Amino acid sequence: MSFSWPWALLALLTVPLLLAARWWLNRRRKRTAVTVSSVAVIRAALPGRTSWKRRIPVWLFLAGFLPLAVSLARPQATVSVPSNSTSILLAIDVSGSMCSTDVEPNRFTVATDAAREFIKAQQDGTRIGLVAFSGIAGLLVAPTTDKDSLLDAIGTLRTARGTAIGQAILTSIDAIAETNPNVAKTGADLPPSENTGDYEPDTIVVLTDGSNTTGVDPVTAAEQAAARKVRVYTIGFGTTTPAPMVCTADQIGGDSPFGGGRFGGGGRGTGRNQEIDEDALTQVADVTGAKYFRAEDADQLVDVLTDLPREFNLREQKVEATVWFVLAGAVLVFAGVGLSLWWNRAPRPKE
């Protein structure tokens, strides 16, 4: 809870001042009391009321002043609300190690199928961009709501040599900067004073099965994302079990835009496994205020990707709560006044 005008909380002093005034009036009333010959005469003249019927209206009335006084300070509550302007940049590793068959039929097939499921599961209107990276990173599809173009682009992915995770993050940042004026491109200098505030709704998701082998260090790239308040979620995919490298002809990068050439000779390589650099992927996520996930099979990868929107489609936002305090105060005040009038109403004359 925060307040736009915290100095207005001084209005809370109204309640103790009213209590002091009531005490002073009661004290003065006792001093000016009139002596009468018969107490029974007074009791007969006053309506029958118990002590709690006298006190409850007063306390309700005074309690109503507390939320009314707080409302003057314009309270704001921080809540999680759905973001309608989210752009998701999905960066997919297409390095040669994605031909590993430790996940059947191979990592490449499972990863691309999971990416398709992720795209199809998004709500209409969600902007998604696609980045592919091996030795270099390239933006295949700028953030768009056209799911068909994204699905078509996934079908063009081919494997190539190298793994440039850091470059994939920087490429994703530049893609976000094209649509979000609050995010500066990676070549721009950022004033230190502007590095505070809530995270941008745009998010980067990096799916990789290995470690960075070329280009900028992933943690250095993550610091650039953090400076722009862009979160980078990372997914490590694959097992630690050595397995043959097998890719189909249409998965090998002889005609890929990265010019990677054939991997493993005719699409089949020796049994080896590239270790996932979980420390680096965890640091990337931590630096940017995101999370790292591990998936070792097709089901786990699909679950991670389909559950991700719950993480980043909500953003923290301050919501004005003044009306609720005014409503609560008004209810208490009117309840106190109403009970006082009801319990102090004149008795009906006997017929």
Side-chain angles (χ1 to χ4, degrees):
M1 182 69 69
S2 59
F3 301 95
S4 299
W5 301 337
W7 51 267
L9 291 174
L10 291 174
L12 290 170
L13 296 175
T14 303
V15 174
L17 289 175
L18 287 174
L19 288 172
R22 184 171 183 268
W23 174 83
W24 181 79
L25 289 174
N26 287 338
R27 183 183 178 91
R28 183 178 180 184
R29 189 179 298 112
K30 289 179 181 179
R31 290 179 179 178
T32 58
V34 178
T35 303
V36 296
S37 58
S38 176
V39 177
V41 175
I42 299 177
R43 289 179 177 174
L46 295 175
R49 288 193 304 160
T50 59
S51 60
W52 62 270
K53 284 188 176 182
R54 294 194 302 270
R55 293 173 183 173
I56 288 179
V58 174
W59 287 113
L60 285 175
F61 185 80
L62 292 176
F65 273 88
L66 292 175
L68 288 175
V70 172
S71 69
L72 296 177
R74 294 185 61 188
Q76 295 179 331
T78 301
V79 297
S80 295
V81 298
S83 175
N84 296 324
S85 57
T86 298
S87 289
I88 305 170
L89 266 295
L90 180 59
I92 301 179
D93 186 348
V94 292
S95 60
S97 60
M98 292 292 283
C99 289
S100 175
T101 55
D102 61 333
V103 181
E104 294 183 354
N106 59 29
R107 295 178 183 177
F108 185 90
T109 300
V110 173
T112 52
D113 287 346
R116 291 187 180 94
E117 292 297 324
F118 171 74
I119 292 170
K120 293 176 182 178
Q122 301 311 303
Q123 296 181 352
D124 293 338
T126 301
R127 293 180 300 178
I128 304 173
L130 184 63
V131 172
F133 66 96
S134 52
I136 59 174
L139 178 65
L140 298 186
V141 181
T144 179
T145 59
D146 185 357
K147 294 183 180 181
D148 290 336
S149 64
L150 291 163
L151 296 174
D152 291 341
I154 290 178
T156 66
L157 293 177
R158 301 291 184 270
T159 59
R161 297 183 183 274
T163 307
I165 299 174
Q167 188 60 46
I169 295 174
L170 297 181
T171 301
S172 300
I173 293 174
D174 287 337
I176 291 173
E178 293 292 337
T179 58
N180 186 344
N182 295 326
V183 176
K185 290 189 175 182
T186 54
D189 294 329
L190 296 178
S193 59
E194 295 184 4
N195 293 341
T196 59
D198 295 334
Y199 286 101
E200 295 296 327
D202 307 290
T203 308
I204 299 171
V205 179
V206 176
L207 170 60
T208 181
D209 73 333
S211 58
N212 196 73
T213 62
T214 184
V216 64
D217 181 74
V219 178
T220 301
E223 291 171 350
Q224 292 291 315
R228 292 159 175 79
K229 294 300 176 183
V230 175
R231 291 172 293 181
V232 182
Y233 290 84
T234 53
I235 303 172
F237 177 51
T239 71
T240 57
T241 303
M245 300 288 184
V246 179
C247 272
T248 60
D250 60 350
Q251 294 175 337
I252 301 171
D255 58 347
S256 74
F258 307 107
R262 290 186 177 272
F263 177 78
R268 180 177 292 273
T270 59
R272 67 181 181 85
N273 190 57
Q274 183 176 350
E275 294 291 337
I276 301 172
D277 190 352
E278 292 195 276
D279 289 339
L281 295 177
T282 301
Q283 289 185 58
V284 167
D286 290 343
V287 166
T288 61
K291 292 182 180 180
Y292 165 69
F293 301 91
R294 179 67 186 273
E296 294 188 351
D297 56 39
D299 291 337
Q300 289 181 7
L301 183 58
V302 171
D303 289 343
V304 169
L305 283 173
T306 53
D307 287 344
L308 268 178
R310 300 178 185 177
E311 298 283 344
F312 51 71
N313 274 353
L314 294 178
R315 62 180 307 193
E316 299 296 319
Q317 179 176 315
K318 290 185 177 180
V319 178
E320 189 84 21
T322 302
V323 63
W324 299 108
F325 283 84
V326 172
L327 180 61
V331 169
L332 290 172
V333 169
F334 282 115
V337 173
L339 288 176
S340 179
L341 293 175
W342 177 258
W343 286 334
N344 286 284
R345 68 188 187 280
R348 295 182 179 179
K350 296 181 180 180
E351 296 180 358

